[in-house]
Amino acid sequence: MPGLKPPPIGSAIPQVQTYVLDEARQPVAPGTAGELYIGGVGVGRGYLNRPNITAERFLPDPFAADETARMYKSGDRVRDRGDGILEFLGRADHQVKIRGFRVELFEIEALLNQHSTVQEGIVLAPEDALGNKRLVAYVLPNDPQTATDNDWIAALKSHLQTQLPSYMVPAQFCVLESLPLTPSGKVDRKALPALDDLGSAPLAPEDQPQTTLEKQVAKIWSQVLGIPTIGLYDDFFELGGSSLLAAQLVSLIAEDLNIELPIRCVYESPTVATLAQTVEILRQAGGNAFSVLTDLTTQAIPQPPSITARQQTQTAPASPEAVFLTGATGFLGAFLLHELLQQTQAQVFCLVRADNRQEAFARLQDTFTKYGLPVANLTGRAVPVPGNLNQLRLGLSKIQFARLADQVDVIYHSGAMVNFVKPYSALEAENVLGTREVLKLAGQGKLKPMNYISTVGVFGAIAYFTGQSMVYEDDDLDLSRDFLCWDDGYAQSKWVTEKMLLAAKAQGLPITVFRPGFIAGNSHTGATNLRDFLSRSLLGCIQLGAYPDLANFKNQVVTVDYASQAILHISQQPESVGGTFHITPWSPARDFAWNNLFAWAQDYGYTLQRLPYRRWKEQLSEHCRHAQDNVLYPLLPFLNETIYEQKLTVLELYENTADFDCSNAIAALKGSGIQCPVVDRQMLFTYLDAFVHQQQLPQSPPLSLSA
């Protein structure tokens, strides 16, 4: 249950070893969750007459001196407190990932069983035919008469919604007359009805789709979600929809209804009723997507909060004692945290989406482990702050928020939802309004400098629309206002946020803005964010065996170690406060073009065909229609949608990319010894080596670097 301390289960007895390992069966740092493996004299030979499960559970022990030793895979998730005592976190097979979030099924079951009308409830996460997991609650009611009562199911769902985040609320509720039991009297989870066998309660007349179009949309939803009955006002995402399923939905709508529906419409119109209305609007507009775009010329810019701080002037503190950091479990944020721990003596308060401090600290440890950063450095100085950017006061109580506002000397706001598929409306709460809550923190208690991590994307495809070939750090944001409607919701959310920050600066808040380009892996270790656009593009094209010919598409790529070091150093210079800095290559010649990336991958040994963009996206779509394991699959709508004049995709708009001057950044770094590494052929080989080591790519014998 959220907020409850995990129970301790003790430590190993003499001559028995316990290992807490990750999914690759490598040891995790103390405090980090992992699966418990047991070695030593207590390990038996296996299960009697059960060779298959014996092979799964009794494994060679790579940590023992005896090469014949074996260890037992317990299936229990535990965490070493740091003193050798293990805490039990649940069964490994009862933790699942839903929409990218880790979910403990027992937490949901415990809350479900607290409801007075529930005799017993079980929650599973079965996979549908397409491999998508969905939460299903199997409920045995106290009163059998409630079995077909929609109001009762709605009450159960409401009970869970008040105490759990949306991704932990089951998409379906299956009411049973009895629960199947094992011979020992426990619930036989494997015998519960499969997804295909689940029925649905009948819909009330007012909830039934009425028009032909509503019925067509509901039928497509049913096909995508695997739910036989869809109500007119059911929410796509509450029923288990995800970004992957949204991509399938728009694909089927295109096939069945002959309308190219932008994927953002699924987020903005998430019910059958509203989505059918949007489809009709697009039909009336002749399929012109402009009728549903986010127009920044009319978009309201939130007013920044009032400054209530005691001091009205503040420069960058030379030696901060307390730092507040958001986004520490992200890629750049993790390296910023690493630099703060290396270069300062400050306590770093890290806002982490979690239910409690233990879980938040474990997430920080997991992130450092993933990127090869020293986990031990977190202990003592990295202070986890469980919260959420999209909540009032960042999810903190008034007392917690006020205490932080008094204690913190400087803020680094790196947290954001980075998503090229979701529309502005789906990102506003976290990226825009979340920043407004951070501004409250900056302007309360003692006035403190705020360092905001933005993106060069706020200028959109400026070269295409205006012909401007160089963007300077002090250029007016309004240069891109009229055409950013054609861009992705992420860039729009950052533009709106920067406009809000300009107003906050005018009120007297000391705000420094950093605009990175694409951020590549660590130049020394190759540690990379596998989920960002650049990594997905490289991996996905290698999977496909082809890449799009975008000869003039530049990437503005810098390494993550340079970006984090540069941001920290610049932010510590008093004369930098209030400025804007591009964290981009130091000259156009030091950036690389899109096609170089794949030419170097071919040099490494992979076979890749260069195709015109249209042919490439058709080949990718066809490939994903049969195999959805390509890492570019979630980005198909972003890559496919022709948004400008119904003929150009976002990437095609960006093909003639502007360069970004970074004179302010270079001047601020003078004398620091910090250099911006060039991402070249040799460095790409470092990244590809890391991908192969992490089994993200098949081994391919590299050619000589001198070839």
Side-chain angles (χ1 to χ4, degrees):
M1 289 292 295
L4 294 184
K5 191 173 182 180
I9 57 174
S11 57
I13 61 176
Q15 300 187 65
V16 171
Q17 286 76 48
T18 56
Y19 313 118
V20 184
L21 308 180
D22 62 18
E23 293 176 357
R25 296 194 190 128
Q26 296 299 311
V28 301
T32 304
E35 186 171 349
L36 174 63
Y37 290 74
I38 301 169
V41 297
V43 179
R45 288 181 291 176
Y47 292 98
L48 182 63
N49 298 326
R50 301 181 70 185
N52 291 339
I53 192 170
T54 294
E56 290 176 7
R57 294 295 184 90
F58 291 84
L59 307 168
D61 186 345
F63 310 105
D66 183 355
E67 293 184 357
T68 65
R70 293 195 295 174
M71 61 181 183
Y72 176 67
K73 175 181 167 71
S74 73
D76 291 331
R77 291 184 64 253
V78 299
R79 178 167 56 221
D80 186 332
R81 297 191 315 196
D83 58 1
I85 300 296
L86 300 178
E87 294 176 333
F88 178 71
L89 303 177
R91 291 287 298 169
D93 53 1
H94 290 156
Q95 185 192 71
V96 296
K97 268 200 170 184
I98 302 291
R99 300 188 225 164
F101 297 97
R102 292 186 185 275
V103 172
E104 292 285 357
L105 299 180
F106 281 156
E107 287 188 13
I108 309 171
E109 289 180 3
L111 281 174
L112 188 60
N113 287 311
Q114 285 179 9
H115 199 276
S116 59
T117 64
V118 174
Q119 182 176 333
E120 188 164 5
I122 301 293
V123 178
L124 299 183
E127 286 188 353
D128 61 20
L130 298 173
N132 301 299
K133 282 189 170 67
R134 175 180 303 119
L135 292 177
V136 177
Y138 298 86
V139 188
L140 185 64
N142 284 325
D143 180 2
Q145 297 300 317
T146 62
T148 58
D149 188 342
N150 278 312
D151 290 339
W152 179 67
I153 294 174
L156 290 183
K157 184 175 287 191
S158 177
H159 166 69
L160 296 178
Q161 286 171 334
T162 59
Q163 302 179 71
L164 293 172
S166 61
Y167 60 85
M168 291 182 70
V169 177
Q172 286 178 266
F173 285 75
C174 177
V175 183
L176 302 175
E177 295 180 0
S178 62
L179 292 171
L181 302 177
T182 65
S184 62
K186 295 182 179 179
V187 175
D188 187 350
R189 293 171 180 263
K190 293 181 180 179
L192 289 165
L195 269 182
D196 293 342
D197 300 327
L198 294 179
S200 295
L203 294 171
E206 64 271 17
D207 292 330
Q208 295 176 7
Q210 302 296 323
T211 69
T212 300
L213 182 56
E214 287 171 351
K215 291 175 182 177
Q216 289 174 317
V217 171
K219 181 180 178 181
I220 296 171
W221 277 36
S222 180
Q223 184 177 345
V224 170
L225 295 171
I227 299 174
T229 305
I230 303 291
L232 188 61
Y233 304 106
D234 284 340
D235 186 289
F236 180 79
F237 297 100
E238 288 182 4
L239 291 178
S242 63
S243 57
L244 289 177
L245 292 176
Q248 294 173 18
L249 180 67
V250 297
S251 177
L252 285 174
I253 286 175
E255 291 179 15
D256 295 358
L257 303 182
N258 195 31
I259 191 80
E260 295 292 336
L261 183 75
I263 195 169
R264 63 181 174 274
C265 295
V266 182
Y267 291 91
E268 294 171 340
S269 307
T271 68
V272 169
T274 55
L275 193 63
Q277 290 172 1
T278 300
V279 170
E280 185 58 35
I281 290 171
L282 281 172
R283 279 180 172 173
Q284 296 292 333
N288 185 356
F290 186 76
S291 59
V292 292
L293 289 179
T294 300
D295 184 0
L296 294 184
T297 62
T298 59
Q299 177 65 44
I301 308 298
Q303 287 297 309
S306 301
I307 299 174
T308 61
R310 298 182 298 274
Q311 304 165 247
Q312 291 301 303
T313 58
Q314 177 68 52
T315 59
S319 302
E321 295 181 4
V323 173
F324 183 72
L325 171 66
T326 70
T329 56
F331 186 47
L332 176 58
F335 279 83
L336 273 174
L337 175 55
H338 169 64
E339 290 298 324
L340 284 164
L341 296 174
Q342 291 283 102
Q343 306 301 330
T344 77
Q345 297 301 312
Q347 275 196 311
V348 186
F349 293 86
C350 304
L351 184 74
V352 180
R353 187 177 57 204
D355 290 324
N356 53 60
R357 291 186 62 171
Q358 285 182 313
E359 182 184 333
F361 193 67
R363 286 197 65 199
L364 292 175
Q365 291 175 313
D366 288 346
T367 302
F368 264 46
T369 299
K370 178 167 62 175
Y371 296 131
L373 298 171
V375 176
N377 289 1
L378 294 169
T379 303
R381 288 180 50 212
V383 182
V385 180
N388 203 318
L389 276 175
N390 62 17
Q391 294 179 6
L392 179 67
R393 294 187 303 274
L394 307 174
L396 309 180
S397 69
K398 288 183 179 180
I399 293 175
Q400 288 175 307
F401 196 82
R403 187 180 296 130
L404 264 181
D406 282 331
Q407 190 171 3
V408 167
D409 299 312
V410 61
I411 294 172
Y412 292 84
H413 181 26
S414 179
M417 182 183 291
V418 182
N419 190 297
F420 294 156
V421 173
K422 291 183 178 181
Y424 173 84
S425 59
L427 303 175
E428 182 183 33
E430 190 155 339
N431 293 1
V432 181
L433 302 182
T435 302
R436 191 176 187 277
E437 296 304 302
V438 177
L439 285 174
K440 284 183 186 177
L441 188 71
Q444 184 175 323
K446 55 184 176 184
L447 198 67
K448 53 199 78 70
M450 173 175 158
N451 299 284
Y452 176 67
I453 313 303
S454 185
T455 169
V456 295
V458 294
F459 286 101
I462 192 169
Y464 180 89
F465 288 103
T466 71
Q468 183 171 331
S469 60
M470 180 69 75
V471 178
Y472 296 90
E473 288 151 305
D474 298 320
D475 277 350
D476 192 335
L477 266 179
D478 284 343
L479 286 173
S480 58
R481 180 191 60 188
D482 293 342
F483 53 79
L484 210 60
C485 59
W486 306 111
D487 222 296
D488 58 83
Y490 174 68
Q492 293 166 356
S493 72
K494 288 293 189 176
W495 186 92
V496 171
T497 299
E498 280 207 38
K499 292 290 285 186
M500 178 176 64
L501 294 181
L502 285 173
K505 279 187 186 182
Q507 290 182 1
L509 273 176
I511 299 170
T512 306
V513 174
F514 296 91
R515 296 186 188 131
F518 284 118
I519 298 178
N522 186 301
S523 61
H524 304 290
T525 67
T528 303
N529 179 9
L530 296 173
R531 299 176 64 184
D532 73 358
F533 177 72
L534 208 57
S535 293
R536 283 184 185 272
S537 297
L538 182 59
L539 293 168
C541 288
I542 290 173
Q543 283 180 276
L544 182 65
Y547 68 94
D549 183 8
L550 296 169
N552 298 314
F553 182 91
K554 291 188 177 180
N555 300 280
Q556 302 299 328
V557 177
V558 293
T559 65
V560 69
D561 41 318
Y562 166 71
S564 55
Q565 290 167 14
I567 289 170
L568 181 58
H569 178 82
I570 294 171
S571 69
Q572 292 176 323
Q573 312 310 307
E575 61 274 16
S576 297
V577 174
T580 300
F581 301 89
H582 287 165
I583 307 300
T584 55
W586 284 4
S587 72
R590 294 166 69 101
D591 196 10
F592 66 87
W594 172 269
N595 286 2
N596 290 144
L597 186 69
F598 300 100
W600 296 335
Q602 287 175 293
D603 290 345
Y604 188 84
Y606 294 111
T607 301
L608 289 164
Q609 183 182 11
R610 185 172 66 191
L611 297 175
Y613 188 84
R614 300 298 173 89
R615 279 185 56 200
W616 173 81
K617 73 172 188 175
E618 289 169 2
Q619 187 167 316
L620 177 65
S621 297
E622 183 63 25
H623 170 76
C624 290
R625 191 171 288 119
H626 301 289
Q628 293 165 3
D629 59 346
N630 191 291
V631 295
L632 282 172
Y633 177 71
L635 295 180
L636 271 183
F638 172 76
L639 299 169
N640 277 338
E641 286 178 6
T642 51
I643 59 170
Y644 182 62
E645 295 183 344
Q646 297 180 264
K647 64 180 182 181
L648 293 179
T649 63
V650 171
L651 279 193
E652 289 171 299
L653 287 177
Y654 273 88
E655 183 171 1
N656 293 296
T657 317
D659 292 305
F660 285 79
D661 178 79
C662 55
S663 298
N664 292 354
I666 293 172
L669 291 170
K670 188 175 181 179
S672 68
I674 297 172
Q675 296 292 315
C676 181
V678 177
V679 179
D680 56 13
R681 182 173 181 260
Q682 183 168 356
M683 193 170 293
L684 185 73
F685 277 30
T686 299
Y687 298 150
L688 290 171
D689 284 343
F691 289 160
V692 170
H693 178 72
Q694 297 169 51
Q695 299 182 338
Q696 298 296 319
L697 285 175
Q699 183 73 46
S700 182
L703 304 180
S704 168
L705 282 173
S706 60

